[in-house]
Amino acid sequence: MSVRAVLLSVFLATVLPGIPAAATSEIASNAADDLPIHEPQADEEGDFLWWDGGRNMTFYQLGKILDLGNSLHAVGEWVGVLGPREAADVNALDEVPNSTWFTNRHHRKRLSPEELARGPNAGPPPSSTGPLTILSGKVLGQTPGFVLKDRDEHRYVLKFDPPEVPEMATGAEIVSSKVLHALGWNVPEYHLFLLDPARLELAEDAWIRDKYRRKRAMTRKDIEAILQRAARLPDGRIRAVASLQIPGTPKGPFRTQGVRPDDLNDTIPHEDRRELRGLRVVAAWINYTDARRGNFYDTFLRDPGDPQGRGHLVHYLLDFSSSLGSGNVEWKDPKDGNEYVVDPPTILRSFVSLGLWVKPWEDPPPVSHPALGYFEAGIFDPERWVTTYPNPLFDQATTRDSFWGSKLVTSFTDDDLRTVVSTGEWSDPAAAEALFEILRARRDRIARTYFHTDRINAADRFTVKGNQLGFENLAVRSGVASIERARYRYRRSGGSWKILARPAVPIGSADGVVELQASHDGGESWSPTTRVTVRVNGKSEFRLVRIDRETHD
Amino acid sequence: MRLTARSVNSGLEWGVAALFMTLLVGLLVRPAAFAESASLASAAVPAHRVAGRSWWRQALELPEEAMDVFAWPLKRGVIWAERVNLPERIFDVLYFNDERTAGWFPNFSFGGEIQSAAGFRLFHDDLWGHAEEISLATLFAIDDLEEERVEFRFFVPSVAGSRAHVLAHVFYSEDNDEDFFVRFRPDGSFGLGAETGEDDDTTFELDLVRSRFEGGFRPNANLDLGLAFQPIFGDVEEGGGAEPPIPRFIDGFGGPTVLLGGGPYFEWDVRDNAVRPRSGWFARADGGAWADVRGETTSGRDYRYARYRIDLRRYQPTFRRDRVIVVRAFLDRVDTFDEGAAPFWDLPRLDEDRALRGFERNRFRDKGALLFNAEYRYPIWDTWDGYLFWDEGQVFRNFSDVDSSRFEWSAGAGILFLSEKKFLMRIQFATSEEDQLFRLDLERSF
């Protein structure tokens, strides 16, 4: 055996065991990750922004090199020996099963306008009458607010808009929470609520943190100071977002790398979860730049009747008041979403280019409406889009993950968009119209980027009718490719390609694999191949058993 | 390549100190504060539980995990600092009032004229509620306690609400090994500045008090006119450094010297922004005459000299508003009168501290200094600018000596670190025919 062969063997033996299975052989629709476990400890590490941000900008970046498996894999990808590290939690149809992380909703089965508008809100808004008792100040985040309970003993976190930009933060929170819920993630209930300050009472044991973050008794003066930082309506009331307390026992933010040691249901490293990797595209769409560990949340739900008090964790996304164009207490900076807060490669490129490289966001489009903050579609590039600082979950996203995220984004039709935009209850209809236009344009930009035949075959929603394999071309469906110019070609068992103008392929009469490619330019160029495996049963009925998508990263 | 740095009110040193502090705190802080997350962090996850995690894979992660071990105390320190809001606590120690206009800061200096030094700065930036400033800054050399700097400043930007302002500035320094380059000619005379080479280095000790008492008037927002009274005290001794001592017959010796003098100044500033100028002009001219009230040269002459300085800058945007070319011309000239002399230690200089950035400190010194700078600045981050520069300059005895072929050049690049409100620091690399200098500096070159 030659030295080269030995080296290659070592390389493959080293790397291959580390590659997560591209897709499990089962068509699991539910991950069954809610098996009873003992109550885990609270893990508050992610609440600390300085460490999370600092670590992700430094040690995490260095760790990617020091993790030799990762480095070897990167080398393997570079020389073409290995493919990308795909998500480990997808089923044989390249889909994400329902789990404590994610529930397939709108893209799988369309929600009605009422369901879209209702979003996660199963419970009531704060009572419109009776006292509102303040329990504490708001512990985390920049937006002014506090924790209170209404007369029905429901607890809410109340957040307000800054006086300079009324409706911006609250509108962003409401609209983004509806979007994320409709697309499948767990989010808290957010209710738009008009607060009459006269209803506020202070609980005897109400507390707030002082400037040294020590707990102390809360006073009326504290309430006044918080309300001073809130935009008021002409009648003195305050528009607020009331976030209903998430059920269960808080267990801190979930990790952006690895698994939770004391959760036996947590078997897939979070960075290998498609619903977390693919969230990047959705976050890019709604400009959720604050998608960081501190805005993720685990809650422990006790299983009713379990004699040992066991239960399971459910995983949430939180805090969308800095999504869209909102920067919480001011407009977002045009830089947000385009480069990290400290972005060494961008800084280095700027330095080395001697200023000749003009960053696209140096010439930002104008603000479309003051109530929206800085939110634009003109220079939006979903590939370039980043969070405020690196998030390891998004760092791992492959083309297939992004395709999946785009599939979710484009499941929103224009009418769906108008529905969720209206939930922001913008006082100026022009703000709602502007937001609709921006979200629509960003959605289409995402479709153009991730449904492109240079990357992937955008065929999806496969169905079998008789011996016809039907599918939808998501690029055509999204309006970013022309139906007249769309072509499809297929073959079975390495045969010759046959070209079709319509998305329906004759399967034949036996088990097998259909190789399928798409073209958006009348057949001049073709996408990577998607392989669809079909099986026939004893009644000569075909069913889908597996979908494998090739990609060009 | 030599590494130099100069600092007053250091920021970088604070950062380094903070890093060590957090590491220390991370190691010492009571475990109970981290009981929950620490025990979770150290909990091992069985490999079989995690998809795609073979023992091979885990073994390959060992270097990364070793790094995590190193980072662990830092993590604890940083989390503790955030948990207790350490910066707020530190600022409350450093500032005397809630408005944070008065307080004290430690001062550090590494590699500057005074070498390694530490001290403090006391200040109030809003003494009577109208931005009146008063400050006292000190630096004491760590390796030579006789070397020190003390600086007092008092500034009233608007006297009784008028457009008049007053400034009092007193600077005291004690330097035991300041460089002086001099070349002796065969005829026994000597030459300074442009005539000297790198090896013509001598040293001297200097105790110096330089004062400025200024009254000015601003007819409009861009113009500042005034008069300054500027007494100087200097006392020179032969040097204590490794180089040969300066010859005593050069004008400047002769015991403690007190010079009285001063003159008018004029400043015209139409830059769009004083911290990060992108366009506009800046011009400043000042001059005056000095005569000794005590002291004389070794040869018995009095000190009688006039000095004038002209600094002219143009900030010109290029293809974008924030890509700026700065062109600067600077002249500093001393002329003697009444057959008087000027002390060598108060002659104009060109060097790395005075914008001929590729030459060591005090490298060129003579009766005149003419300097041209061209600098291209461009943004590389929110408040950071990269820059490229080219300096051309010459020191001279007589104007007739000025000759473009005798100009010294230096060139280089750097990064300016600014905040929204003030300049913080620069990192710079400069090269010339004599030296390559890498520099961290808490003062601008101009």
Side-chain angles (χ1 to χ4, degrees):
Chain A
M1 187 183 279
S2 69
V3 173
R4 196 170 160 212
V6 171
L7 286 175
L8 183 62
S9 304
V10 170
F11 178 81
L12 293 176
T14 304
V15 172
L16 289 180
I19 305 171
T24 63
S25 57
E26 298 170 15
I27 307 178
S29 60
N30 195 305
D33 61 347
D34 56 354
L35 302 177
I37 59 167
H38 291 292
E39 183 171 347
Q41 298 179 54
D43 181 2
E44 297 174 343
E45 185 182 302
D47 282 331
F48 295 96
L49 176 67
W50 300 354
W51 175 251
D52 190 49
R55 176 196 172 276
N56 288 356
M57 286 189 275
T58 53
F59 291 108
Y60 166 66
Q61 305 297 339
L62 187 58
K64 284 194 288 189
I65 300 166
L66 293 177
D67 176 352
L68 301 181
N70 187 63
S71 296
L72 285 168
H73 195 105
V75 172
E77 271 191 73
W78 186 62
V79 299
V81 178
L82 296 172
R85 292 171 66 153
E86 296 294 355
D89 65 335
V90 292
N91 62 21
L93 300 183
D94 204 24
E95 291 289 347
V96 176
N98 293 340
S99 67
T100 55
W101 299 82
F102 183 84
T103 306
N104 287 285
R105 295 194 181 104
H106 193 56
H107 88 286
R108 182 71 58 79
K109 183 172 181 291
R110 292 186 55 73
L111 301 181
S112 68
E114 295 73 26
E115 288 171 315
L116 281 172
R118 187 166 62 243
N121 297 359
S127 167
S128 57
T129 57
L132 296 167
T133 308
I134 295 177
L135 304 171
S136 72
K138 193 167 143 284
V139 177
L140 299 170
Q142 292 177 301
T143 46
F146 33 64
V147 179
L148 54 70
K149 66 177 179 181
D150 67 5
R151 66 174 187 182
D152 301 322
E153 298 290 313
H154 291 122
R155 287 185 178 219
Y156 300 89
V157 176
L158 235 62
K159 291 201 285 187
F160 312 115
D161 292 304
E164 299 78 16
V165 245
E167 300 183 3
M168 180 187 67
T170 52
E173 188 115 69
I174 291 293
V175 171
S176 294
S177 67
K178 306 291 184 195
V179 168
L180 286 164
H181 175 267
L183 295 184
W185 285 274
N186 302 316
V187 297
E189 295 187 23
Y190 289 106
H191 301 270
L192 260 186
F193 173 68
L194 290 178
L195 170 70
D196 178 0
R199 292 176 60 198
L200 292 173
E201 290 182 354
L202 197 57
E204 276 184 16
D205 56 350
W207 58 272
I208 193 169
R209 291 201 185 273
D210 67 9
K211 63 178 180 175
Y212 297 156
R213 303 202 176 129
R214 296 173 303 203
K215 268 189 185 180
R216 66 163 171 79
M218 196 173 182
T219 65
R220 276 269 159 203
K221 211 171 164 183
D222 294 320
I223 299 175
E224 284 162 18
I226 292 169
L227 295 180
Q228 281 279 320
R229 294 167 54 208
R232 286 185 186 245
L233 299 173
D235 63 4
R237 289 184 300 170
I238 297 171
R239 175 178 145 127
V241 162
S243 166
L244 184 67
Q245 185 179 35
I246 295 172
T249 309
K251 293 298 169 191
F254 61 78
R255 298 175 176 202
T256 51
Q257 276 184 291
V259 298
R260 189 182 182 108
D262 53 0
D263 177 10
L264 293 174
N265 288 313
D266 195 9
T267 58
I268 295 169
H270 301 171
E271 68 274 25
D272 290 337
R273 287 188 163 276
R274 169 157 298 168
E275 64 273 33
L276 297 180
R277 291 174 169 200
L279 172 62
R280 197 198 80 88
V281 175
V282 181
W285 183 36
I286 59 173
N287 216 15
Y288 180 29
T289 52
D290 214 12
R292 58 182 169 87
R293 191 175 171 194
N295 286 331
F296 303 151
Y297 181 93
D298 279 350
T299 185
F300 180 68
L301 294 181
R302 242 171 256 288
D303 293 345
D306 186 284
Q308 299 175 53
R310 293 177 305 172
H312 61 276
L313 288 174
V314 179
H315 317 279
Y316 281 75
L317 310 180
L318 302 177
D319 197 354
F320 316 111
S321 58
S322 59
S323 63
L324 306 182
S326 169
N328 276 325
V329 294
E330 57 191 359
W331 290 353
K332 264 200 166 85
D333 190 296
K335 170 184 165 178
D336 295 335
N338 287 299
E339 62 177 304
Y340 296 124
V341 60
V342 180
D343 197 330
T346 304
I347 292 170
L348 184 65
R349 186 176 172 192
S350 297
F351 182 67
V352 171
S353 74
L354 307 180
L356 299 177
W357 174 50
V358 179
K359 295 181 274 195
W361 52 102
E362 288 187 65
D363 292 313
V367 168
S368 54
H369 194 285
L372 300 179
Y374 183 78
F375 190 43
E376 55 77 32
I379 58 167
F380 169 62
D381 178 351
E383 274 288 87
R384 186 178 63 219
W385 184 88
V386 290
T387 43
T388 304
Y389 61 78
N391 183 332
L393 301 173
F394 297 169
D395 211 18
Q396 302 294 328
T398 64
T399 298
R400 276 171 56 190
D401 300 322
S402 299
F403 175 76
W404 177 84
S406 306
K407 190 160 65 180
L408 266 59
V409 168
T410 54
S411 69
F412 262 78
T413 63
D414 289 358
D415 287 342
D416 298 337
L417 273 182
R418 286 195 187 280
T419 300
V420 293
V421 163
S422 69
T423 62
E425 297 185 23
W426 314 92
S427 56
D428 182 357
E433 186 59 26
L435 180 56
F436 163 74
E437 291 294 346
I438 295 168
L439 283 172
R440 181 168 69 167
R442 287 172 78 101
R443 177 199 64 191
D444 293 348
R445 189 74 54 85
I446 286 169
R448 265 191 290 276
T449 303
Y450 294 114
F451 295 158
H452 200 284
T453 52
D454 283 351
R455 293 174 187 272
I456 200 165
N457 181 352
D460 194 57
R461 295 175 174 271
F462 290 93
T463 54
V464 177
K465 282 185 184 167
N467 66 347
Q468 287 274 314
L469 176 67
F471 56 89
E472 281 188 60
N473 182 334
L474 296 185
V476 171
R477 183 170 176 259
S478 306
V480 297
S482 145
I483 191 166
E484 289 80 21
R485 304 267 295 157
R487 296 288 182 277
Y488 310 96
R489 67 180 186 184
Y490 73 98
R491 64 181 180 184
R492 293 193 58 156
S493 311
S496 58
W497 291 103
K498 295 189 176 77
I499 297 179
L500 302 164
R502 295 184 56 229
V505 175
I507 298 172
S509 57
D511 292 354
V513 176
V514 178
E515 290 183 284
L516 183 67
Q517 293 183 343
S519 168
H520 295 164
D521 53 13
E524 288 176 29
S525 61
W526 292 94
S527 71
T529 305
T530 294
R531 290 181 181 78
V532 182
T533 307
V534 289
R535 290 254 167 82
V536 62
N537 62 16
K539 298 176 187 173
S540 299
E541 294 168 338
F542 285 98
R543 65 186 179 94
L544 288 173
V545 294
R546 189 175 180 89
I547 296 171
D548 294 295
R549 291 186 167 94
E550 272 184 9
T551 59
H552 292 160
D553 284 300
Chain B
M1 185 189 299
R2 291 192 303 117
L3 179 73
T4 65
R6 189 169 55 145
S7 74
V8 180
N9 302 326
S10 163
L12 179 70
E13 293 80 4
W14 267 102
V16 174
L19 182 66
F20 281 111
M21 279 298 291
T22 46
L23 275 169
L24 188 65
V25 167
L27 289 167
L28 297 179
V29 73
R30 66 195 169 93
F34 295 89
E36 292 170 343
S37 51
S39 62
L40 259 190
S42 59
V45 181
H48 66 268
R49 229 193 75 197
V50 183
R53 282 290 193 277
S54 64
W55 69 270
W56 275 102
R57 191 72 180 78
Q58 291 202 324
L60 290 168
E61 287 173 359
L62 282 176
E64 185 195 11
E65 290 182 4
M67 178 194 70
D68 287 342
V69 170
F70 164 76
W72 183 74
L74 183 67
K75 173 168 113 178
R76 287 180 50 150
V78 171
I79 289 177
W80 172 81
E82 185 173 355
R83 191 190 289 272
V84 302
N85 202 357
L86 187 61
E88 192 73 23
R89 290 170 190 254
I90 292 173
F91 284 134
D92 280 354
V93 171
L94 297 176
Y95 287 101
F96 301 147
N97 56 3
D98 291 340
E99 296 78 22
R100 293 191 171 164
T101 54
W104 73 280
F105 274 93
N107 260 357
F108 298 98
S109 173
F110 297 105
E113 286 190 332
I114 194 171
Q115 296 300 324
S116 299
F120 64 88
R121 178 172 177 264
L122 271 170
F123 65 93
H124 199 311
D125 291 338
D126 196 21
L127 196 58
W128 298 308
H130 295 94
E132 299 88 356
E133 299 170 18
I134 189 166
S135 63
L136 176 72
T138 65
L139 272 176
F140 299 96
I142 292 166
D143 53 350
D144 182 353
L145 293 178
E146 291 183 359
E147 287 205 344
E148 58 192 311
R149 297 270 190 283
V150 180
E151 191 170 3
F152 170 80
R153 186 173 186 274
F154 174 66
F155 177 61
V156 179
S158 172
V159 177
S162 72
R163 292 178 175 177
H165 59 87
V166 293
L167 168 74
H169 183 235
V170 180
F171 174 77
Y172 165 71
S173 78
E174 193 175 327
D175 193 342
N176 288 345
D177 55 355
E178 188 167 326
D179 295 309
F180 183 75
F181 290 79
V182 57
R183 171 163 289 181
F184 296 96
R185 303 186 187 111
D187 62 1
S189 60
F190 62 89
L192 302 179
E195 281 190 49
T196 63
E198 281 181 275
D199 300 329
D200 298 325
D201 195 4
T202 64
T203 63
F204 62 97
E205 294 182 13
L206 175 65
D207 291 352
L208 179 71
V209 180
R210 196 183 285 280
S211 313
R212 183 180 181 87
F213 302 97
E214 175 185 303
F217 180 74
R218 289 185 181 276
N220 59 50
N222 305 120
L223 198 58
D224 186 3
L225 307 163
L227 281 170
F229 173 55
Q230 299 170 76
I232 302 170
F233 168 84
D235 187 10
V236 181
E237 294 293 334
E238 290 175 349
E243 292 81 11
I246 186 171
R248 293 190 67 86
F249 59 81
I250 290 179
D251 294 336
F253 284 101
T257 302
V258 177
L259 302 163
L260 293 184
Y265 75 88
F266 155 92
E267 189 174 293
W268 179 58
D269 187 351
V270 287
R271 293 175 297 178
D272 60 336
N273 182 317
V275 176
R276 202 179 192 187
R278 302 298 196 198
S279 64
W281 289 88
F282 175 87
R284 183 181 171 93
D286 63 81
W290 281 262
D292 63 73
V293 292
R294 182 184 172 189
E296 58 184 9
T297 67
T298 312
S299 58
R301 284 192 298 164
D302 290 327
Y303 293 111
R304 297 275 190 275
Y305 64 99
R307 181 173 199 161
Y308 52 92
R309 273 180 294 227
I310 300 169
D311 186 350
L312 179 65
R313 301 175 213 165
R314 168 66 184 165
Y315 297 82
Q316 178 62 48
T318 56
F319 65 100
R320 289 184 62 83
R321 198 188 72 79
D322 52 4
R323 273 70 164 175
V324 182
I325 288 178
V326 190
V327 182
R328 177 182 185 238
F330 177 75
L331 173 69
D332 188 357
R333 173 67 180 170
V334 161
D335 277 316
T336 56
F337 57 87
D338 290 347
E339 297 184 348
F344 72 87
W345 42 264
D346 199 30
L347 293 179
R349 282 175 278 179
L350 289 181
D351 58 20
E352 62 174 315
D353 285 349
R354 292 158 191 87
L356 192 58
R357 288 166 271 194
F359 292 90
E360 66 177 294
R361 188 170 296 121
N362 298 315
R363 176 65 187 87
F364 299 107
R365 187 190 308 243
D366 211 330
K367 290 178 74 176
L370 180 62
L371 177 69
F372 298 99
N373 306 103
E375 194 162 296
Y376 168 60
R377 297 177 186 168
Y378 56 97
I380 60 169
W381 192 64
D382 300 8
T383 54
W384 300 355
D385 283 344
Y387 64 99
L388 303 175
F389 63 86
W390 185 276
D391 308 322
E392 287 274 357
Q394 181 192 352
V395 293
F396 55 90
R397 179 126 300 235
N398 302 301
F399 275 106
S400 58
D401 298 332
V402 175
D403 181 347
S404 62
S405 66
R406 299 172 69 184
F407 272 43
E408 302 285 350
W409 65 268
S410 67
I415 298 174
L416 300 170
F417 299 90
L418 308 126
S419 71
E420 296 292 336
K421 293 182 179 172
K422 62 180 181 179
F423 171 83
L424 300 175
M425 186 177 75
R426 69 185 150 114
I427 297 176
Q428 175 183 288
F429 174 77
T431 185
S432 69
E433 286 178 345
E434 289 189 2
D435 239 329
Q436 285 80 46
L437 301 173
F438 182 77
R439 182 180 179 91
L440 302 175
D441 203 322
L442 299 182
E443 291 178 17
R444 292 176 187 270
S445 31
F446 56 86

